[in-house]
Amino acid sequence: MNVDVEPTFARQSKRVGRFRFRLKSLLLLVLICAITLSCIPLFRDSSGTNASRADAPISGLPDDASNVSYFIHGALGPSRLYEFDTDEDSFHEWARTYPVNLETEGYCRILRYTAYLHGSDAAHYADINDGILYTRVDGDSGINIAYDRKAGRAYFFYHSR
């Protein structure tokens, strides 16, 4: 009778190898879960009403911006909409930081952040009789920036599709 007996060292070596494989698999699983959980907040939409310039998650607003209201899609979201109070000179200076052209002065219409808030009864468009509108369209994406002279309110709408 031929009995194949494995030496003790070989059996221990196999156990250690399996343990290392299981440990590596467990660490990889923990790493994947940690990355996934840390990315979840990036995909959440963000909105607010009448926030201060400092509290709004929007960079580059004019120094005198106040009463900031906004809706920003989470990561990879197709649009950002916000509005705020500012004076006309600050508006022009801020609007020119974007690649836009002066479209019109007078009547203009722009989509507001309220269009994306569920259950919002507020108007989804700002109809501006004495306004300024800057625009840029590149294929499916575009930027609209408007200013209501009477209200002293600026509006921003960016969409990527």
Side-chain angles (χ1 to χ4, degrees), residues 110-145:
I110 189 167
L111 190 66
R112 296 182 64 215
Y113 76 102
T114 54
Y116 287 90
L117 298 179
H118 300 291
S120 174
D121 292 333
H124 296 319
Y125 286 92
D127 288 302
I128 304 167
N129 291 317
D130 184 16
I132 304 162
L133 178 65
Y134 287 91
T135 63
R136 180 175 183 108
V137 177
D138 291 319
D140 289 345
S141 67
I143 299 173
N144 295 320
I145 301 174

Side-chain angles (χ1 to χ4, degrees), residues 5-149:
V5 178
E6 196 172 16
T8 305
F9 176 74
R11 282 183 295 203
Q12 288 175 344
S13 180
K14 283 184 179 181
R15 282 188 208 132
V16 169
R18 279 183 265 171
F19 175 75
R20 284 185 183 155
F21 176 75
R22 288 180 185 157
L23 183 61
K24 286 180 182 178
S25 298
L26 180 63
L27 289 174
L28 181 61
L29 180 63
V30 168
L31 180 64
I32 289 170
C33 289
I35 290 171
T36 301
L37 291 174
S38 66
C39 290
I40 287 173
L42 297 175
F43 290 90
R44 290 191 179 134
D45 296 339
S46 176
S47 64
T49 305
N50 298 324
S52 69
R53 179 181 181 268
D55 292 336
I58 303 163
S59 61
L61 292 177
D63 291 337
D64 69 338
S66 61
N67 297 323
V68 182
S69 297
Y70 57 92
F71 180 88
I72 301 170
H73 275 281
L76 308 176
S79 57
R80 286 178 289 162
L81 302 97
Y82 47 90
E83 57 190 68
F84 55 91
D85 295 336
T86 189
D87 64 57
E88 188 172 339
D89 290 336
S90 297
F91 165 76
H92 283 290
E93 186 178 321
W94 168 76
R96 289 184 188 123
T97 64
Y98 291 93
V100 293
N101 299 310
L102 181 61
E103 180 75 23
T104 188
E105 291 196 37
Y107 175 80
C108 56
R109 186 175 207 211
I110 189 167
L111 190 66
R112 296 182 64 215
Y113 76 102
T114 54
Y116 287 90
L117 298 179
H118 300 291
S120 174
D121 292 333
H124 296 319
Y125 286 92
D127 288 302
I128 304 167
N129 291 317
D130 184 16
I132 304 162
L133 178 65
Y134 287 91
T135 63
R136 180 175 183 108
V137 177
D138 291 319
D140 289 345
S141 67
I143 299 173
N144 295 320
I145 301 174
Y147 185 73
D148 186 335
R149 286 185 170 124

